[in-house]
Amino acid sequence: MCKIGDIIIVDEYKDNGNIIPSHSFVVVSDENGEIQGLPYDFVANVLSSFKNERQKNRKLSYPGNFPIAFDDTITNPHNNRNGFVKSDQMYYFAKDKISYKVIGYMKPDIFNLLIEFIEESDFDLSDVIDNL
């Protein structure tokens, strides 16, 4: 079971028709609901690490990417790298359609900053419902 603020690894997921291998996400809603007539169990944002300074500068130029420091999360395993959350992409998941495991959580104060960033933003949100 996952809850808001948890960091999870989804073994394989779909994104606009493409199958993506294992990746980390931060859970932003653990409420069951329905979108476009399809039921979902939780909503999450992609969480990625920076590979180098050049990639960091490029990724942070996108208005929907929220930076996080390596110590903003408590995970096992932990890669000790800074990264970002793609906060403008909301992934809706049905638990029976994916395999995932909880590996940790985002510190509550940072998670609250992420939610505030999303709520106060003026960028468009995209809903990814391929995993329902």
Side-chain angles (χ1 to χ4, degrees):
M1 197 63 159
C2 61
K3 60 186 183 310
I4 63 168
D6 279 352
I7 295 176
I8 62 173
I9 299 289
V10 176
D11 292 334
E12 183 180 274
Y13 66 99
K14 296 176 188 170
D15 183 354
N16 297 307
N18 298 313
I19 296 176
I20 310 296
S22 178
H23 210 287
S24 57
F25 288 81
V26 59
V27 177
V28 294
S29 173
D30 60 356
E31 300 287 324
N32 293 343
E34 197 172 281
I35 183 169
Q36 297 179 21
L38 300 169
Y40 65 85
D41 297 309
F42 67 93
V43 183
N45 297 119
V46 169
L47 173 65
S48 291
S49 299
F50 297 123
K51 293 176 179 56
N52 54 48
E53 195 65 25
R54 185 172 148 220
Q55 186 206 33
K56 175 184 176 181
N57 293 333
R58 185 172 52 85
K59 292 297 185 180
L60 292 182
S61 70
Y62 295 101
N65 287 348
F66 179 81
I68 60 165
F70 72 94
D71 58 354
D72 290 341
T73 62
I74 306 296
T75 60
N76 186 11
H78 199 293
N79 68 7
N80 293 316
R81 292 167 60 183
N82 297 329
F84 63 101
V85 176
K86 293 183 179 182
S87 66
D88 58 345
Q89 299 173 7
M90 300 293 178
Y91 285 79
Y92 291 78
F93 289 102
K95 290 179 182 175
D96 63 344
K97 305 276 182 175
I98 60 164
S99 173
Y100 74 94
K101 64 182 171 187
V102 177
I103 63 163
Y105 61 93
M106 184 174 283
K107 290 182 177 176
D109 57 329
I110 304 303
F111 180 78
N112 290 337
L113 288 173
L114 170 64
I115 297 303
E116 186 177 307
F117 178 77
I118 294 168
E119 289 174 346
E120 294 179 1
S121 70
D122 62 353
F123 50 76
D124 291 330
L125 296 175
S126 67
D127 297 326
V128 182
I129 61 169
D130 296 2
N131 301 285
L132 300 179

